Amino acid sequence: MNWQYCIFVVLAMISFCSCQNNTTMEPNTAQIPTQNYYGEAHRPQFHFSPPSKWMNDPNGMVFYEGEYHLFYQYYPDSTVWGPMHWGHAVSPDLVHWEHLPIALYPDSLGYIFSGSAVIDWKNTSGLGKEGQPPMIALFTHHDPEGEKSGDSTYQYQSIAYSTDKGRTFNKYEGNPVIANPGIKDFRDPKVIWHEETKHWVMVFSVHDRVWFYTSPNLLNWTFASEFGVPDDKRLWECPDLFPMMVEGTEETKWVLIISLQKEGPNGGTATAYFVGDFDGKNFIADYKKQYWADFGKDNYAMVTWSDIPQSDGRRLALGWMSNWQYAQVVPTEQWRSAMTLSRKFTLHQYGEDYRLRSMPVEELKVLEGPIQTIASGSYSGFTTLADQPGQHLYKLDVSFERPASARVGVRFSNEEGEHLEVFYSGIAQQYYVDRSVAGQADFSEDFAGSHAGPVDYKRETVDMLLYLDHSSIELFADAGQCVMTEIVFPKTPYTKIELFVSKGEARLLQGSLTALKSIW
């Protein structure tokens, strides 16, 4: 047993033993520091990151009275995983965030693992007051003492409720609302209202599959069905279930998102999905048609917001921007991890298949500064687009004629000799993010490398939309059909941007480079 693990065990026992039965611990007043903490090295400037310490999965994402609520897995006492709390932030626009005090603390039933939140508009739970619909948080209690004892029933589903716009929560006295029947991995509830059958539906992970439960009131739950892949050896986590209208049609399909703990498209953890039909109890889909929502190394536990108004109608998603292969050892000191950009999902039909596309939300336009137009024409070799020491945040949008053999892409570099490349290969017909020499990588053998995003559709153009932050790159290729999210840790920010065409020539149809502003 190494010394880091010993420290973690001691901290976990202290945190757990100090709790009262199903109650909340005293707030950690050190959660929000007062110094200019967003000036730290590698700190994202337009992605959400915690004020300090450890963060992983987004949780409880719900919209209510003009605010997007983001809860998240949080450990306020260390920059590595520990006794889980729910951190909390709100945003009016999915771009600018206000940090709020911790929403849920561990208690005698356990740590507060991942889950979801909904507005109980009809007060089916009876937990609202004076005409105020309650905000219901549904989460997994994880009992560390039960886990240590070898008992397999140490995870179960519980709820908490708020009647003050999520500022304070009361844990339900009848927790847990779903007991564990004897399964080791039994967690991460996502709840929706199913209008056709007038009941609530909960989907959660049960090791290598998901289970569906139904309820009239969010308190009493009945097992309905399960969905999985035969002989799957991967651990399933953080499911999500929602209907989507197929673009250009009147057809509605259901999407089941899952996050997988291994065998991602470029190794490690990743977010996947299935498309099928749902009748309020049963999800029917071809288990052989599992697709990836993001081909990069660093988008995990991506889920969608609940209760987006019908007048908006978008399906909005957010993911944790890291990978469990190295999440706890990346070179940040005061905090660990950030979230992806908020994204809009759309569903499209390709023959007999259905695929999600995702694009960054339109609200990001508020961050845009000066726009530089890139001249169209034939390109070869390297062409400098920008080399500004004071500007490190960019949006880049380019469209090339699809080359037969050439590589077309972008290089971001700094004075340290580090560079990050994002490109399309005409020979391989794939997109790549190459972070082999992009910055610090000695913390994990799984970090550096060139990672591929396959293209299994035919287009005459190569369209790349890129968002560059201090420690991440997000590629939205071909209108969101191939998405890649990757984190990077350059010694100094990238200041030079070059368009490049290698192994031939390629024609640029249009392009623009936009300076972005910090949200902090």
Side-chain angles (χ1 to χ4, degrees), residues 25-42:
M25 296 166 54
E26 290 298 316
N28 184 328
T29 56
Q31 183 201 7
I32 304 178
T34 58
Q35 71 269 26
N36 182 25
Y37 52 94
Y38 278 89
E40 299 161 356
H42 306 307

Side-chain angles (χ1 to χ4, degrees), residues 105-302:
Y105 287 77
D107 54 46
S108 63
L109 293 180
Y111 305 157
I112 312 299
F113 272 22
S114 289
S116 57
V118 293
I119 307 301
D120 185 8
W121 294 103
K122 299 178 182 179
N123 196 25
T124 62
S125 63
L127 298 174
K129 66 176 184 179
E130 300 174 359
Q132 177 92 24
M135 179 184 293
I136 307 292
L138 305 105
F139 57 91
T140 297
H141 262 123
H142 173 97
D143 175 13
E145 294 298 319
E147 180 182 24
K148 187 170 63 174
S149 72
D151 183 4
S152 60
T153 64
Y154 56 84
Q155 292 182 345
Y156 26 79
Q157 319 316 323
S158 296
I159 69 172
Y161 59 97
S162 171
T163 55
D164 60 359
K165 298 179 64 175
R167 268 52 182 183
T168 60
F169 279 88
N170 297 300
K171 300 218 178 92
Y172 178 56
E173 293 182 357
N175 282 337
V177 294
I178 298 181
N180 190 315
I183 299 173
K184 182 179 177 181
D185 298 297
F186 190 79
R187 58 177 179 264
D188 308 340
K190 179 64 185 284
V191 170
I192 63 169
W193 174 257
H194 190 256
E195 181 62 28
E196 290 75 13
T197 52
K198 306 297 183 186
H199 63 219
W200 298 97
V201 175
M202 178 189 293
V203 57
F204 59 90
S205 298
V206 185
H207 190 63
D208 58 358
R209 63 197 61 239
V210 294
W211 281 5
F212 297 92
Y213 275 63
T214 62
S215 172
N217 57 9
L218 294 166
L219 308 178
N220 307 110
W221 293 90
T222 302
F223 175 80
S225 65
E226 67 173 43
F227 176 82
V229 175
D231 301 318
D232 200 347
K233 304 302 182 183
R234 302 168 298 179
L235 179 65
W236 291 27
E237 293 188 304
C238 302
D240 194 358
L241 178 71
F242 49 87
M244 293 198 73
M245 186 170 289
V246 181
E247 292 291 304
T249 76
E250 297 297 319
E251 183 183 19
T252 295
K253 303 294 287 186
W254 284 76
V255 178
L256 173 66
I257 286 182
I258 58 168
S259 286
L260 297 170
Q261 271 275 1
K262 62 180 181 179
E263 299 179 11
N266 281 288
T269 52
T271 302
Y273 67 93
F274 300 88
V275 180
D277 298 297
F278 184 69
D279 62 6
K281 291 185 177 181
N282 302 282
F283 178 73
I284 307 299
D286 185 346
Y287 65 81
K288 296 184 292 296
K289 293 182 177 181
Q290 175 231 292
Y291 302 113
W292 297 108
D294 193 309
F295 291 97
K297 288 280 288 188
D298 298 307
N299 185 353
Y300 192 63
M302 184 165 62

